[in-house]
Amino acid sequence: MNAKYGSILMLLLASSTLLNAQKSKSYDLKSPDGNISLHLEAADKLQWSVMHKGQSIIIPSAISLQLESGEVLGDKARIVSAPMQKANATIQAINYKKTSIPDQYNQLTLNCKGDYGVIFRVYNDAVAYRFFTRRKGELVIKAEEAMINFTDDHKAFIPIQWDYRGGQNFNSSFEALYHEIKLSQFPKDSLAFLPLLVDVGQNKKVVLLEADLEDYPGMYVDLNQTGKGFKGVYAPYPLEAQLGGSGGMNLIPSKRADYIAKTTGTRSFPWRALAISEQDKDLLNNDIVQKLAAPSRIADVSWIEAGQAAWDWWSSRTISHVDFKAGNNTQTYKYYIDFAAANHVKYIVIDAGWSDRMDLLKINPALNLQEIVDYGKLKNVGVVIWAYWYAVSQGMDKAFPVYAKMGVKGFKIDFIDRDDQVVVKSLYDIAKLAADNKLLVDYHGAFKPTGLQRTYPNVIGYEGVKGLENFKWANEDQPRYTVSIPFIRMMAGPMDYTSGAFRNVNQANFRPINNLPMAKGTRCNQLAQFVVFEAPFQMLSDNPTTYIKEQECTDFMTKIPATFDETVALDGKVAEYVALARRKGDTWFVGAMTNWTPRELTLDFSFLPSGNYEAEVFKDGLNADRDGTDYKKEVLTISSGAKVPVQLSGGGGWVARIKKVN
């Protein structure tokens, strides 16, 4: 090649590079307080990155939606407009940990050629984005690209899917302890579900979440090719399914499509969110999922009441000192109602066995459900009944009106165990029909909440957590887990952990028992969970006989509300300990818990308005390390601003009910 042609070629290459560079567009968006910076690059790929106070949190990470046609929304995006807006509003919350939520953010919307776009929001404690489309007809989503690239091989708390229902991937109870591992140690051929937490250094934690998940599959993550980040993975759309799995009552897809969703062409897709904290305790009072959720679709919410529920399943209806045979029968549930009424508990739950598993209208002849419900009305105690998701999905059109007319207050719906598009849509459909019939819903055996509880506030419970039921069969480090989930799983919303076990033991004395199960840790740890854990439908897991024998603790436990007007995070470290305060009316409740490490905390009561207060306190007894049931009750005088030392036994707790005296 001679010099003349070489120069021409170099000029053409330079012009091409310049042309490509001109096609790339970048955008920047900051949080209202200026601490979080979001940077976007729109070129061949649409990539986002995040900084917090100058520290790089997320390095360029690609996002896109691939359609069945082959079109990729986000690749080579041609930006038509990029308007910015600010929001500073207040959300009035229903059955939540606070009554009002400040909703302040800055937003950038990329409107792209092709009738689609992406919305980005930056809050003072979180970053989120979502795709939207404005097209006619139907869209088939082949795949979604959601990369989250971190700067280093950080330590993380990751719930790895393990209990494959029916032996199939994407079928799970969504219950797992956290793998506390480096990102690069993510197990091969595994998936993790959200939320999960990453320690990004400088005391900062990042929690990955999704919100407003409607008519779309939930997001799992796998390690991406960088070895220092995640990629989104989604259950393919189910084409055929068969009963199988746990007890033969899971609906297990036997054939899946090569796409993840078939949906309307004009819609918004789920939010992908990162919550960022400088102190672990800040995660205890983060509202990002509530902020991103769709507003309530129920005009009249006056009939929706949160509350505690006496529950039969955990202790296998094992009651004693009664003149009838305990079991799945009318006398047993009247006894539960009597207990609930005497202790001002709003509900009882009738768990599995009251009806045919497949046909909700076939009631077990051993009990008279109408008589039980009517007896509950006389005692001002509502009755909630359990059902398999499959039976509900097949029979709710007939069953919901029947049981609503009977006076049943709601359904606890179990063994959902999937989060593909079909199931996610089903949970919205169930919530809507239940609301139409003024029925409450508690989703058990379900994936994590993503805001449905705001959109349909009659959904007052969610499992998606490795709850107390596991003590019936597993010997695991639950005390560490119970001081991990408030910073991770509870970020997504309420969790039906089913607290309240009164057979409390240390690790050496624990053994799995089915009918009268034990719980690891102390009595005061269990009591503190009623304050720490967010649960608008709060189960009392143990049986009435046990609670009556321990009336002093029962009286305290049943005075703790299921929802609150205000929450204040006091102290905490992920997997180590947690302490927070919640207010209902003019009464404050404070709960603190630790893992197996005994420790002393100093709680700062500056959150109290000025004045003097009386605190009814339950704390670990001096011998709680040997006998978990050992506790001490005392009454303290506390003034606003007081610094109170709190001693926690291994697996222990401390809990207080505080009223102003002058």
Side-chain angles (χ1 to χ4, degrees):
M1 181 183 296
N2 62 37
K4 176 181 177 181
Y5 289 116
S7 298
I8 293 173
L9 179 59
M10 291 296 292
L11 182 62
L12 289 173
L13 288 172
S15 299
S16 175
T17 302
L18 180 61
L19 185 61
N20 285 334
Q22 289 172 340
K23 287 181 180 179
S24 175
K25 291 186 177 182
S26 63
Y27 304 87
D28 291 284
L29 189 66
K30 285 184 176 291
S31 59
D33 64 7
N35 290 332
I36 300 178
S37 301
L38 172 70
H39 180 73
L40 302 172
E41 287 287 341
D44 287 346
K45 304 291 294 182
L46 179 59
Q47 298 188 96
W48 63 300
S49 54
V50 179
M51 297 189 74
H52 182 273
K53 290 187 176 180
Q55 178 187 351
S56 185
I57 304 296
I58 302 296
I59 58 177
S61 301
I63 59 174
S64 67
L65 286 180
Q66 181 183 346
L67 307 185
E68 189 180 45
S69 63
E71 182 182 2
V72 181
L73 308 185
D75 285 8
K76 296 181 173 61
R78 297 181 62 182
I79 312 300
V80 176
S81 64
M84 291 189 182
Q85 66 183 83
K86 297 183 177 183
N88 189 358
T90 300
I91 298 169
Q92 296 305 312
I94 303 169
N95 288 333
Y96 190 51
K97 62 189 176 187
K98 58 188 70 169
T99 53
S100 61
I101 304 170
D103 190 27
Q104 187 181 22
Y105 59 85
N106 292 330
Q107 178 171 295
L108 169 67
T109 302
L110 299 184
N111 293 303
C112 304
K113 186 175 181 181
D115 297 320
Y116 78 94
V118 191
I119 301 171
F120 296 89
R121 285 186 186 173
V122 185
Y123 297 79
N124 290 336
D125 57 4
V127 179
Y129 75 86
R130 78 186 314 175
F131 278 87
F132 65 87
T133 53
R134 301 290 181 263
R135 298 186 175 189
K136 295 180 180 179
E138 186 179 70
L139 281 183
V140 177
I141 310 300
K142 180 88 170 177
E144 178 182 347
E145 180 182 31
M147 293 292 177
I148 306 105
N149 296 323
F150 292 95
T151 59
D152 205 348
D153 189 13
H154 298 305
K155 180 183 176 182
F157 286 72
I158 305 174
I160 302 291
Q161 183 186 14
W162 64 276
D163 59 334
Y164 297 98
R165 299 293 166 101
Q168 298 293 317
N169 208 352
F170 304 111
N171 296 274
S172 169
S173 65
F174 301 92
E175 302 174 27
L177 298 180
Y178 294 107
H179 282 55
E180 300 176 33
I181 55 176
K182 295 263 192 176
L183 295 175
S184 61
Q185 295 172 323
F186 195 103
K188 282 191 71 174
D189 302 318
S190 297
L191 293 176
F193 42 86
L194 303 182
L196 60 82
L197 178 146
V198 179
D199 184 340
V200 296
Q202 299 185 31
N203 293 320
K204 295 176 186 177
K205 305 294 192 301
V206 171
V207 176
L208 276 60
L209 300 139
E210 62 179 338
D212 206 17
L213 176 66
E214 182 172 5
D215 195 26
Y216 197 80
M219 184 167 129
Y220 298 80
V221 296
D222 193 1
L223 192 68
N224 65 26
Q225 65 269 24
T226 69
K228 296 183 290 188
F230 300 112
K231 61 181 178 181
V233 180
Y234 315 87
Y237 188 89
L239 297 173
E240 298 174 4
Q242 299 175 350
L243 288 172
S246 182
M249 296 306 296
N250 289 118
L251 192 62
I252 307 295
S254 54
K255 182 179 180 182
R256 292 185 180 270
D258 61 354
Y259 54 84
I260 63 173
K262 183 181 290 187
T263 187
T264 179
T266 297
R267 63 162 295 171
S268 295
F269 291 84
W271 288 102
R272 311 306 180 196
L274 298 175
I276 303 171
S277 71
E278 291 188 270
Q279 301 179 82
D280 289 14
K281 72 175 186 177
D282 295 338
L283 298 172
L284 301 172
N285 202 18
N286 186 294
D287 304 301
I288 189 60
V289 171
Q290 278 278 318
K291 292 175 182 177
L292 295 172
S296 174
R297 295 174 187 170
I298 303 176
D300 174 21
V301 297
S302 61
W303 58 274
I304 301 172
E305 295 184 86
Q308 295 181 346
W311 183 39
D312 60 342
W313 182 86
W314 193 67
S315 59
S316 305
R317 307 179 187 91
T318 304
I319 54 179
S320 59
H321 301 89
V322 295
D323 57 0
F324 58 86
K325 190 72 172 175
N328 205 329
N329 55 51
T330 304
Q331 298 98 315
T332 296
Y333 290 114
K334 283 188 173 182
Y335 179 83
Y336 270 81
I337 289 170
D338 287 339
F339 163 78
N343 291 278
H344 309 289
V345 174
K346 190 174 290 292
Y347 300 104
I348 71 162
V349 174
I350 301 179
D351 216 283
W354 68 270
S355 75
D356 183 271
R357 289 185 172 187
M358 300 297 292
D359 187 347
L360 296 178
L361 295 176
K362 290 183 179 179
I363 299 176
N364 182 347
L367 58 81
N368 187 322
L369 185 58
Q370 184 68 71
E371 183 179 341
I372 294 167
V373 171
D374 290 345
Y375 189 72
K377 287 180 184 177
L378 290 174
K379 299 277 187 169
N380 199 29
V381 175
V383 175
V384 173
I385 52 181
W386 178 97
Y388 274 109
W389 166 74
Y390 176 74
V392 171
S393 67
Q394 298 300 303
M396 62 184 181
D397 290 341
K398 292 181 179 179
F400 280 7
V402 168
Y403 290 112
K405 184 178 180 181
M406 182 183 289
V408 167
K409 292 297 184 181
F411 279 81
K412 175 182 176 180
I413 301 171
D414 205 348
F415 289 95
I416 300 162
D417 295 338
R418 288 162 44 198
D419 67 347
D420 52 49
Q421 184 188 11
V422 168
V423 168
V424 172
K425 182 179 184 303
S426 172
L427 267 55
Y428 275 79
D429 292 343
I430 290 169
K432 182 182 184 306
L433 186 62
D436 291 343
N437 287 276
K438 293 191 175 180
L439 292 169
L440 305 174
V441 176
D442 173 25
Y443 284 129
H444 211 64
F447 56 92
K448 80 284 178 187
T450 61
L452 177 58
Q453 66 277 14
R454 181 186 173 198
T455 310
Y456 286 100
N458 61 318
V459 178
I460 60 171
Y462 257 97
E463 193 182 22
V465 65
K466 195 173 181 65
L468 190 69
E469 67 181 18
N470 287 268
F471 284 119
K472 289 168 74 85
W473 55 75
N475 189 348
E476 298 171 321
D477 192 352
Q478 287 282 353
R480 186 172 183 84
Y481 184 66
T482 56
V483 291
S484 299
I485 51 179
F487 304 92
I488 309 173
R489 163 60 184 82
M490 202 164 73
M491 287 275 291
M495 48 187 197
D496 189 5
Y497 184 85
T498 66
S499 304
F502 276 14
R503 282 171 295 280
N504 316 106
V505 297
N506 59 23
Q507 177 62 55
N509 293 328
F510 175 82
R511 64 185 187 279
I513 299 173
N514 187 64
N515 289 350
L516 289 170
M518 300 176 175
K520 294 184 181 182
T522 70
R523 172 71 54 79
C524 292
N525 181 286
Q526 288 290 314
L527 294 178
Q529 290 178 20
F530 282 77
V531 177
V532 174
F533 292 168
E534 186 182 336
F537 190 56
Q538 178 67 271
M539 302 284 182
L540 307 184
S541 62
D542 226 319
N543 62 54
T545 302
T546 300
Y547 288 139
I548 291 167
K549 290 177 181 177
E550 299 281 355
Q551 195 64 50
E552 186 174 61
C553 290
T554 301
D555 287 343
F556 184 88
M557 176 179 66
T558 56
K559 289 177 184 175
I560 301 174
T563 60
F564 298 88
D565 299 327
E566 183 180 356
T567 291
V568 178
L570 299 179
D571 199 0
K573 185 177 180 181
V574 178
E576 300 294 327
Y577 64 94
V578 58
L580 54 76
R582 302 193 194 270
R583 178 181 60 82
K584 187 73 168 184
D586 60 359
T587 304
W588 284 90
F589 299 83
V590 178
M593 299 157 52
T594 182
N595 58 15
W596 282 124
T597 303
R599 69 184 78 238
E600 182 176 294
L601 305 178
T602 299
L603 300 185
D604 184 349
F605 283 79
S606 297
F607 62 87
L608 293 173
S610 61
N612 293 316
Y613 295 79
E614 184 178 273
E616 181 185 9
V617 172
F618 281 67
K619 65 181 185 179
D620 294 330
L622 291 176
N623 296 298
D625 60 330
R626 301 172 66 184
D627 178 359
T629 67
D630 185 31
Y631 71 90
K632 182 178 180 180
K633 175 187 174 182
E634 61 185 13
V635 177
L636 304 177
T637 298
I638 297 176
S639 60
S640 175
K643 307 294 191 294
V644 178
V646 171
Q647 191 72 42
L648 301 174
S649 182
W654 186 95
V655 62
R657 181 174 181 264
I658 304 170
K659 295 277 290 186
K660 191 171 185 180
V661 292
N662 59 49

